[in-house]
Amino acid sequence: MERTLVFSDSSLNYADTRWDEVFQPLSNTCSDLDASDFPGARRDQLVVRLGAARGFLAHTPFHPPAVPADLLPTVRLFHGAPLAWWVGQVLSYLMRLHPRSDQLVRAALRRLNFTRPIVGIHVRRSDKLFHEAEYHAVDEYMAAVEDFYETLEITNGGVARKIYVATDDVSVFDEINKKYPDYTVIGDRNISSRASGKTKYSKEALDGILVDIHLLSMCDFVVCTFSSNICRLVYEMMQSLHVDASTRVTSLDWDYGFTGMRKLRLYRVILQHSARSAEEMNMRRGDIIAVNFYNATNNYGYNLNTSESGYFPIFKTVEDAKSVPFPAYPYV
Ligand SMILES: Nc1nc2c(ncn2[C@@H]2O[C@H](COP(=O)(O)OP(=O)(O)OP(=O)(O)O)[C@@H](O)[C@H]2O)c(=O)[nH]1
Ligand SMILES: [Mg+2]
Protein backbone atom coordinates (compact mmCIF):
# COMPACT_ATOMS: atom_id res chain seq x y z
CA MET A 1 0.00 0.00 0.00
CA GLU A 2 3.09 2.23 -0.01
CA ARG A 3 2.40 3.28 3.56
CA THR A 4 4.51 3.25 6.69
CA LEU A 5 3.53 0.51 9.13
CA VAL A 6 3.27 1.61 12.76
CA PHE A 7 2.27 -0.72 15.57
CA SER A 8 -0.53 0.96 17.51
CA ASP A 9 -0.82 -1.80 20.07
CA SER A 10 2.58 -3.20 20.66
CA SER A 11 1.93 -5.26 23.80
CA LEU A 12 2.60 -8.97 23.54
CA ASN A 13 0.57 -11.64 25.32
CA TYR A 14 3.38 -12.19 27.77
CA ALA A 15 2.80 -10.11 30.92
CA ASP A 16 2.17 -7.04 28.73
CA THR A 17 5.73 -6.99 27.44
CA ARG A 18 6.11 -4.40 24.71
CA TRP A 19 7.27 -5.41 21.23
CA ASP A 20 10.25 -3.06 21.41
CA GLU A 21 11.48 -4.65 24.63
CA VAL A 22 12.09 -7.88 22.73
CA PHE A 23 12.55 -6.90 19.08
CA GLN A 24 14.00 -3.84 17.41
CA PRO A 25 11.31 -1.29 16.55
CA LEU A 26 9.96 -1.46 12.99
CA SER A 27 11.40 1.99 12.43
CA ASN A 28 13.58 4.24 14.57
CA THR A 29 11.76 7.35 13.44
CA CYS A 30 8.16 6.50 12.52
CA SER A 31 6.99 5.16 15.85
CA ASP A 32 4.12 7.42 16.84
CA LEU A 33 0.65 7.24 15.42
CA ASP A 34 -1.52 10.32 15.09
CA ALA A 35 -4.41 9.65 17.43
CA SER A 36 -7.11 10.27 14.81
CA ASP A 37 -8.78 7.11 13.60
CA PHE A 38 -9.87 6.68 9.99
CA PRO A 39 -11.67 3.39 9.63
CA GLY A 40 -11.55 1.64 6.27
CA ALA A 41 -8.78 1.54 3.74
CA ARG A 42 -9.41 4.32 1.25
CA ARG A 43 -6.37 5.49 -0.65
CA ASP A 44 -6.79 9.16 0.25
CA GLN A 45 -6.96 8.60 3.97
CA LEU A 46 -3.95 9.61 5.98
CA VAL A 47 -4.10 6.78 8.51
CA VAL A 48 -5.52 3.34 7.78
CA ARG A 49 -6.03 0.82 10.53
CA LEU A 50 -5.31 -2.81 9.84
CA GLY A 51 -6.59 -5.65 11.99
CA ALA A 52 -4.92 -8.99 12.64
CA ALA A 53 -4.06 -11.24 9.70
CA ARG A 54 -6.99 -13.58 10.15
CA GLY A 55 -9.58 -10.87 9.66
CA PHE A 56 -9.20 -7.87 7.43
CA LEU A 57 -5.85 -8.64 5.87
CA ALA A 58 -6.96 -12.03 4.60
CA HIS A 59 -8.97 -10.21 1.93
CA THR A 60 -6.25 -7.90 0.66
CA PRO A 61 -4.43 -8.90 -2.52
CA PHE A 62 -1.14 -9.02 -0.61
CA HIS A 63 -2.14 -11.75 1.82
CA PRO A 64 -0.34 -15.12 1.42
CA PRO A 65 -0.04 -17.01 -0.86
CA ALA A 66 0.83 -13.73 -2.63
CA VAL A 67 4.48 -13.21 -3.51
CA PRO A 68 5.71 -10.03 -5.25
CA ALA A 69 5.46 -10.52 -9.02
CA ASP A 70 8.86 -8.95 -9.66
CA LEU A 71 10.58 -11.47 -7.36
CA LEU A 72 8.67 -14.69 -7.93
CA PRO A 73 10.23 -15.79 -11.26
CA THR A 74 13.71 -15.53 -9.73
CA VAL A 75 12.74 -17.16 -6.44
CA ARG A 76 11.28 -20.12 -8.32
CA LEU A 77 14.75 -20.77 -9.78
CA PHE A 78 16.45 -21.40 -6.44
CA HIS A 79 13.71 -22.17 -3.94
CA GLY A 80 11.28 -25.05 -3.48
CA ALA A 81 8.62 -23.10 -1.57
CA PRO A 82 8.47 -19.46 -2.75
CA LEU A 83 5.73 -18.48 -0.30
CA ALA A 84 7.70 -19.64 2.73
CA TRP A 85 10.75 -17.86 1.31
CA TRP A 86 8.86 -14.55 1.02
CA VAL A 87 7.28 -14.82 4.47
CA GLY A 88 10.72 -15.67 5.84
CA GLN A 89 12.23 -12.52 4.34
CA VAL A 90 9.53 -10.33 5.87
CA LEU A 91 9.79 -12.07 9.24
CA SER A 92 13.55 -11.82 9.42
CA TYR A 93 13.10 -8.05 9.22
CA LEU A 94 10.17 -7.84 11.64
CA MET A 95 11.89 -10.07 14.20
CA ARG A 96 15.28 -8.36 14.33
CA LEU A 97 16.23 -9.03 17.94
CA HIS A 98 16.63 -6.37 20.60
CA PRO A 99 20.21 -6.55 21.97
CA ARG A 100 18.92 -8.14 25.18
CA SER A 101 17.14 -10.93 23.27
CA ASP A 102 20.19 -11.41 21.12
CA GLN A 103 22.29 -11.89 24.28
CA LEU A 104 19.76 -14.37 25.58
CA VAL A 105 19.95 -16.51 22.44
CA ARG A 106 23.75 -16.36 22.30
CA ALA A 107 24.01 -17.33 25.97
CA ALA A 108 21.73 -20.32 25.38
CA LEU A 109 23.82 -21.49 22.40
CA ARG A 110 26.91 -21.56 24.64
CA ARG A 111 25.23 -22.93 27.78
CA LEU A 112 23.60 -25.83 25.93
CA ASN A 113 26.68 -26.55 23.80
CA PHE A 114 24.73 -26.16 20.58
CA THR A 115 26.88 -27.64 17.81
CA ARG A 116 26.03 -28.92 14.33
CA PRO A 117 25.06 -31.28 12.82
CA ILE A 118 21.95 -31.21 14.95
CA VAL A 119 18.28 -32.02 14.44
CA GLY A 120 15.59 -30.06 16.29
CA ILE A 121 12.29 -31.47 17.43
CA HIS A 122 9.34 -29.41 18.58
CA VAL A 123 6.81 -31.48 20.50
CA ARG A 124 3.68 -29.36 20.98
CA ARG A 125 1.32 -30.78 23.57
CA SER A 126 -0.42 -29.30 26.68
CA ASP A 127 -3.40 -27.10 25.64
CA LYS A 128 -2.88 -27.83 21.93
CA LEU A 129 -4.22 -31.37 22.42
CA PHE A 130 -7.65 -30.24 23.67
CA HIS A 131 -9.01 -29.14 20.29
CA GLU A 132 -6.32 -28.20 17.83
CA ALA A 133 -3.98 -31.11 17.17
CA GLU A 134 -3.50 -34.83 17.57
CA TYR A 135 -1.05 -36.38 20.00
CA HIS A 136 2.16 -37.60 18.39
CA ALA A 137 4.43 -40.00 20.23
CA VAL A 138 8.12 -39.29 20.69
CA ASP A 139 8.86 -42.32 18.49
CA GLU A 140 7.21 -40.64 15.49
CA TYR A 141 9.48 -37.62 15.84
CA MET A 142 12.52 -39.85 16.32
CA ALA A 143 11.73 -41.96 13.24
CA ALA A 144 12.08 -38.82 11.12
CA VAL A 145 15.26 -37.88 13.00
CA GLU A 146 16.74 -41.33 12.30
CA ASP A 147 15.92 -40.95 8.60
CA PHE A 148 17.79 -37.66 8.53
CA TYR A 149 20.93 -39.10 10.15
CA GLU A 150 20.88 -42.27 8.06
CA THR A 151 20.73 -40.13 4.91
CA LEU A 152 23.53 -37.90 6.18
CA GLU A 153 25.69 -40.95 6.92
CA ILE A 154 25.52 -42.07 3.29
CA THR A 155 27.72 -39.13 2.36
CA ASN A 156 29.42 -38.23 5.65
CA GLY A 157 30.17 -41.60 7.26
CA GLY A 158 29.58 -41.98 11.01
CA VAL A 159 28.06 -38.82 12.49
CA ALA A 160 27.60 -38.14 16.22
CA ARG A 161 23.83 -37.90 16.66
CA LYS A 162 22.58 -34.85 18.47
CA ILE A 163 19.10 -33.43 18.93
CA TYR A 164 17.72 -30.20 20.30
CA VAL A 165 14.42 -30.66 22.12
CA ALA A 166 11.82 -27.89 22.45
CA THR A 167 8.52 -28.81 24.04
CA ASP A 168 5.78 -27.69 26.37
CA ASP A 169 5.73 -31.22 27.85
CA VAL A 170 8.79 -31.70 30.04
CA SER A 171 8.32 -35.50 30.23
CA VAL A 172 9.59 -35.71 26.65
CA PHE A 173 13.17 -35.26 27.86
CA ASP A 174 13.14 -38.34 30.12
CA GLU A 175 11.44 -40.47 27.51
CA ILE A 176 14.02 -39.64 24.84
CA ASN A 177 16.96 -40.07 27.18
CA LYS A 178 15.69 -43.48 28.20
CA LYS A 179 14.71 -44.79 24.77
CA TYR A 180 17.42 -43.24 22.60
CA PRO A 181 20.73 -43.62 24.45
CA ASP A 182 22.71 -43.20 21.20
CA TYR A 183 21.66 -39.56 20.97
CA THR A 184 23.11 -36.55 22.72
CA VAL A 185 20.01 -34.67 23.81
CA ILE A 186 20.21 -30.95 24.48
CA GLY A 187 17.48 -28.54 25.48
CA ASP A 188 16.38 -26.73 28.61
CA ARG A 189 13.98 -28.48 30.98
CA ASN A 190 13.37 -25.22 32.85
CA ILE A 191 12.22 -23.53 29.67
CA SER A 192 9.99 -26.50 28.98
CA SER A 193 8.37 -26.64 32.41
CA ARG A 194 7.48 -22.93 32.25
CA ALA A 195 5.90 -23.31 28.79
CA SER A 196 2.45 -24.44 29.91
CA GLY A 197 -0.07 -23.85 32.68
CA LYS A 198 0.02 -20.79 34.92
CA THR A 199 3.50 -19.65 33.91
CA LYS A 200 2.90 -19.92 30.16
CA TYR A 201 2.48 -16.19 29.53
CA SER A 202 5.08 -14.93 32.02
CA LYS A 203 8.10 -12.86 30.95
CA GLU A 204 10.30 -15.87 31.68
CA ALA A 205 8.23 -18.02 29.34
CA LEU A 206 8.67 -15.41 26.62
CA ASP A 207 12.45 -15.65 27.07
CA GLY A 208 12.07 -19.42 26.81
CA ILE A 209 10.12 -19.45 23.57
CA LEU A 210 12.52 -16.90 22.04
CA VAL A 211 15.41 -19.23 22.76
CA ASP A 212 13.55 -22.32 21.53
CA ILE A 213 12.42 -20.70 18.28
CA HIS A 214 15.87 -19.39 17.44
CA LEU A 215 17.74 -22.55 18.32
CA LEU A 216 15.26 -24.68 16.40
CA SER A 217 15.68 -22.47 13.34
CA MET A 218 19.47 -22.89 13.54
CA CYS A 219 19.21 -26.69 13.41
CA ASP A 220 20.11 -28.52 10.20
CA PHE A 221 16.74 -30.21 10.17
CA VAL A 222 13.56 -29.92 12.26
CA VAL A 223 10.74 -32.36 12.99
CA CYS A 224 7.54 -30.71 14.23
CA THR A 225 3.83 -30.26 13.48
CA PHE A 226 2.73 -27.51 11.08
CA SER A 227 -0.57 -27.29 12.97
CA SER A 228 1.46 -25.26 15.47
CA ASN A 229 2.32 -21.64 14.75
CA ILE A 230 5.71 -22.33 16.30
CA CYS A 231 6.64 -25.01 13.77
CA ARG A 232 5.51 -22.81 10.87
CA LEU A 233 7.44 -19.84 12.26
CA VAL A 234 10.61 -21.91 12.61
CA TYR A 235 10.23 -23.10 9.01
CA GLU A 236 9.81 -19.53 7.79
CA MET A 237 12.80 -18.31 9.76
CA MET A 238 14.96 -21.12 8.37
CA GLN A 239 14.30 -19.79 4.86
CA SER A 240 16.28 -16.65 5.65
CA LEU A 241 19.24 -18.67 6.98
CA HIS A 242 19.76 -20.89 3.93
CA VAL A 243 19.44 -20.42 0.17
CA ASP A 244 16.67 -23.05 0.09
CA ALA A 245 15.53 -24.61 3.36
CA SER A 246 12.23 -25.82 1.90
CA THR A 247 13.06 -29.47 2.68
CA ARG A 248 14.66 -28.93 6.08
CA VAL A 249 11.45 -29.43 8.06
CA THR A 250 9.28 -32.51 8.32
CA SER A 251 5.79 -32.00 9.69
CA LEU A 252 4.00 -34.89 11.35
CA ASP A 253 0.59 -33.42 10.59
CA TRP A 254 -0.37 -30.60 8.22
CA ASP A 255 1.51 -29.24 5.26
CA TYR A 256 2.85 -25.70 5.42
CA GLY A 257 0.44 -22.82 5.05
CA PHE A 258 -0.04 -19.33 6.40
CA THR A 259 -2.63 -18.54 9.09
CA GLY A 260 -5.81 -17.23 7.49
CA MET A 261 -4.87 -18.59 4.07
CA ARG A 262 -7.84 -20.37 2.56
CA LYS A 263 -8.09 -23.14 0.01
CA LEU A 264 -5.01 -21.85 -1.56
CA ARG A 265 -2.01 -24.02 -1.34
CA LEU A 266 -0.84 -23.78 -4.93
CA TYR A 267 1.10 -26.27 -7.04
CA ARG A 268 2.45 -25.77 -10.57
CA VAL A 269 2.41 -28.83 -12.84
CA ILE A 270 5.82 -29.78 -14.24
CA LEU A 271 4.87 -33.19 -15.74
CA GLN A 272 1.58 -33.79 -17.53
CA HIS A 273 -0.75 -36.42 -16.08
CA SER A 274 -3.66 -38.40 -17.53
CA ALA A 275 -6.24 -39.47 -14.99
CA ARG A 276 -6.15 -43.23 -14.42
CA SER A 277 -9.53 -43.34 -12.70
CA ALA A 278 -12.59 -41.18 -12.17
CA GLU A 279 -11.18 -39.97 -8.86
CA GLU A 280 -8.07 -38.50 -10.47
CA MET A 281 -7.73 -35.30 -12.51
CA ASN A 282 -5.89 -34.53 -15.73
CA MET A 283 -3.07 -32.03 -15.59
CA ARG A 284 -1.11 -30.25 -18.31
CA ARG A 285 2.32 -28.76 -17.87
CA GLY A 286 1.95 -25.27 -16.40
CA ASP A 287 -1.52 -25.79 -14.89
CA ILE A 288 -1.99 -24.44 -11.39
CA ILE A 289 -3.61 -26.76 -8.85
CA ALA A 290 -5.21 -25.31 -5.70
CA VAL A 291 -5.45 -27.52 -2.64
CA ASN A 292 -7.31 -26.84 0.56
CA PHE A 293 -4.60 -26.09 3.11
CA TYR A 294 -6.18 -28.43 5.66
CA ASN A 295 -6.52 -31.30 3.16
CA ALA A 296 -3.14 -30.90 1.58
CA THR A 297 -1.86 -34.28 2.66
CA ASN A 298 -4.71 -35.95 0.72
CA ASN A 299 -3.41 -34.65 -2.62
CA TYR A 300 -6.95 -33.72 -3.61
CA GLY A 301 -7.10 -30.50 -5.55
CA TYR A 302 -8.78 -28.21 -8.05
CA ASN A 303 -7.20 -27.42 -11.41
CA LEU A 304 -7.55 -23.65 -11.87
CA ASN A 305 -6.85 -23.96 -15.61
CA THR A 306 -9.31 -26.74 -16.48
CA SER A 307 -11.80 -26.51 -13.55
CA GLU A 308 -11.37 -30.26 -12.99
CA SER A 309 -10.99 -31.52 -9.45
CA GLY A 310 -9.65 -34.81 -8.17
CA TYR A 311 -6.63 -36.61 -6.77
CA PHE A 312 -3.28 -35.95 -8.41
CA PRO A 313 0.30 -37.21 -8.14
CA ILE A 314 2.04 -34.50 -6.19
CA PHE A 315 5.50 -35.48 -7.49
CA LYS A 316 4.45 -34.15 -10.91
CA THR A 317 4.09 -30.68 -9.42
CA VAL A 318 6.18 -28.12 -7.57
CA GLU A 319 4.89 -25.82 -4.89
CA ASP A 320 3.99 -22.39 -6.18
CA ALA A 321 2.72 -19.08 -4.91
CA LYS A 322 0.42 -16.41 -6.30
CA SER A 323 2.13 -13.77 -8.39
CA VAL A 324 0.82 -10.38 -7.26
CA PRO A 325 2.19 -6.98 -8.30
CA PHE A 326 3.37 -5.32 -5.10
CA PRO A 327 4.55 -1.70 -5.15
CA ALA A 328 8.15 -1.79 -6.35
CA TYR A 329 9.18 1.66 -5.01
CA PRO A 330 10.95 2.72 -8.23
CA TYR A 331 11.73 6.18 -6.77
CA VAL A 332 13.44 4.85 -3.63
N1 LIG B 1 9.55 -22.48 25.36
C1 LIG B 1 8.60 -23.13 24.70
N2 LIG B 1 7.34 -22.69 24.76
C2 LIG B 1 6.41 -23.38 24.07
C3 LIG B 1 6.71 -24.53 23.32
N3 LIG B 1 5.57 -24.99 22.77
C4 LIG B 1 4.60 -24.13 23.15
N4 LIG B 1 5.10 -23.16 23.94
C5 LIG B 1 4.36 -22.03 24.53
O1 LIG B 1 3.05 -22.03 24.02
C6 LIG B 1 2.86 -20.88 23.17
C7 LIG B 1 2.09 -21.31 21.95
O2 LIG B 1 0.73 -21.41 22.26
P1 LIG B 1 -0.31 -20.27 21.91
O3 LIG B 1 -0.20 -19.18 22.88
O4 LIG B 1 -1.61 -20.97 21.73
O5 LIG B 1 0.26 -19.67 20.55
P2 LIG B 1 -0.12 -20.06 19.04
O6 LIG B 1 0.49 -18.98 18.21
O7 LIG B 1 -1.56 -20.37 18.90
O8 LIG B 1 0.76 -21.39 18.76
P3 LIG B 1 0.20 -22.87 18.62
O9 LIG B 1 -0.88 -23.05 19.64
O10 LIG B 1 1.39 -23.75 18.89
O11 LIG B 1 -0.27 -22.97 17.22
C8 LIG B 1 4.23 -20.43 22.80
O12 LIG B 1 4.28 -19.10 22.39
C9 LIG B 1 4.97 -20.71 24.09
O13 LIG B 1 4.70 -19.72 25.04
C10 LIG B 1 8.07 -24.96 23.28
O14 LIG B 1 8.45 -25.94 22.64
N5 LIG B 1 8.96 -24.22 23.98
MG1 LIG C 1 -2.49 -21.73 20.02
Side-chain angles (χ1 to χ4, degrees):
M1 298 174 84
E2 302 186 276
R3 289 171 181 271
T4 303
L5 178 64
V6 179
F7 277 162
S8 55
D9 174 10
S10 73
S11 65
L12 305 174
N13 273 348
Y14 298 82
D16 284 332
T17 312
R18 284 194 329 274
W19 174 273
D20 59 9
E21 293 174 78
V22 180
F23 303 106
Q24 292 181 40
L26 296 193
S27 158
N28 289 318
T29 47
C30 304
S31 52
D32 253 340
L33 200 64
D34 191 308
S36 49
D37 183 8
F38 296 86
R42 278 183 30 220
R43 280 246 158 223
D44 57 351
Q45 286 177 332
L46 196 59
V47 179
V48 165
R49 282 186 192 275
L50 300 178
R54 284 167 207 266
F56 173 73
L57 274 181
H59 305 287
T60 73
F62 309 118
H63 195 265
V67 171
D70 56 332
L71 301 179
L72 186 56
T74 312
V75 179
R76 277 181 187 138
L77 298 178
F78 68 84
H79 203 281
L83 172 63
W85 177 86
W86 169 240
V87 176
Q89 304 310 304
V90 176
L91 273 178
S92 67
Y93 178 78
L94 291 176
M95 294 182 60
R96 290 164 306 139
L97 293 177
H98 184 285
R100 183 189 162 272
S101 309
D102 192 53
Q103 282 291 319
L104 194 77
V105 172
R106 285 172 197 276
L109 287 168
R110 284 192 300 270
R111 178 167 47 87
L112 299 172
N113 189 24
F114 186 97
T115 55
R116 293 169 63 185
I118 189 164
V119 176
I121 67 170
H122 175 235
V123 183
R124 179 77 170 92
R125 290 189 178 155
S126 65
D127 63 304
K128 193 82 184 172
L129 302 182
F130 298 147
H131 301 293
E132 296 181 14
E134 302 278 313
Y135 173 92
H136 290 279
V138 159
D139 297 338
E140 293 177 62
Y141 292 85
M142 291 307 290
V145 174
E146 305 241 289
D147 278 350
F148 174 84
Y149 276 114
E150 276 164 24
T151 309
L152 188 65
E153 281 170 1
I154 295 172
T155 48
N156 289 37
V159 174
R161 295 187 174 200
K162 195 168 191 176
I163 54 174
Y164 178 77
V165 177
T167 178
D168 52 355
D169 178 355
V170 71
S171 74
V172 165
F173 284 95
D174 288 334
E175 190 179 345
I176 293 185
N177 281 324
K178 203 168 105 206
K179 286 190 180 163
Y180 297 90
D182 297 344
Y183 282 82
T184 304
V185 181
I186 66 166
D188 188 332
R189 284 167 190 266
N190 293 323
I191 288 182
S192 184
S193 47
R194 280 194 296 262
S196 63
K198 287 204 178 74
T199 49
K200 177 169 171 173
Y201 294 116
S202 61
K203 278 198 200 286
E204 293 71 31
L206 175 56
D207 287 350
I209 189 66
L210 273 171
V211 165
D212 275 345
I213 283 177
H214 280 85
L215 269 53
L216 282 172
S217 71
M218 290 173 184
C219 290
D220 296 281
F221 189 73
V222 173
V223 185
C224 55
T225 43
F226 276 143
S227 59
S228 168
N229 280 305
I230 296 164
C231 174
R232 301 201 298 272
L233 176 58
V234 165
Y235 181 59
E236 290 156 350
M237 288 168 65
M238 285 173 94
Q239 308 311 318
S240 67
L241 301 176
H242 304 268
V243 174
D244 179 359
S246 61
T247 58
R248 286 181 183 265
V249 174
T250 282
S251 164
L252 299 181
D253 56 12
W254 303 359
D255 274 345
Y256 172 73
F258 190 88
T259 306
M261 192 169 98
R262 285 160 213 171
K263 272 217 169 185
L264 276 171
R265 198 180 154 81
L266 299 176
Y267 297 87
R268 186 161 37 88
V269 178
I270 51 169
L271 292 171
Q272 79 81 31
H273 181 73
S274 306
R276 293 166 306 180
S277 72
E279 276 90 58
E280 287 189 4
M281 72 163 110
N282 297 297
M283 311 189 299
R284 299 163 310 188
R285 216 177 125 89
D287 285 357
I288 300 292
I289 312 295
V291 174
N292 187 321
F293 166 33
Y294 300 100
N295 288 342
T297 41
N298 292 334
N299 295 353
Y300 187 90
Y302 176 73
N303 188 326
L304 296 181
N305 299 79
T306 64
S307 304
E308 253 185 88
S309 46
Y311 289 95
F312 66 100
I314 204 149
F315 73 92
K316 294 187 173 181
T317 66
V318 288
E319 210 175 310
D320 207 357
K322 197 163 146 202
S323 177
V324 173
F326 280 53
Y329 299 93
Y331 42 82
V332 173

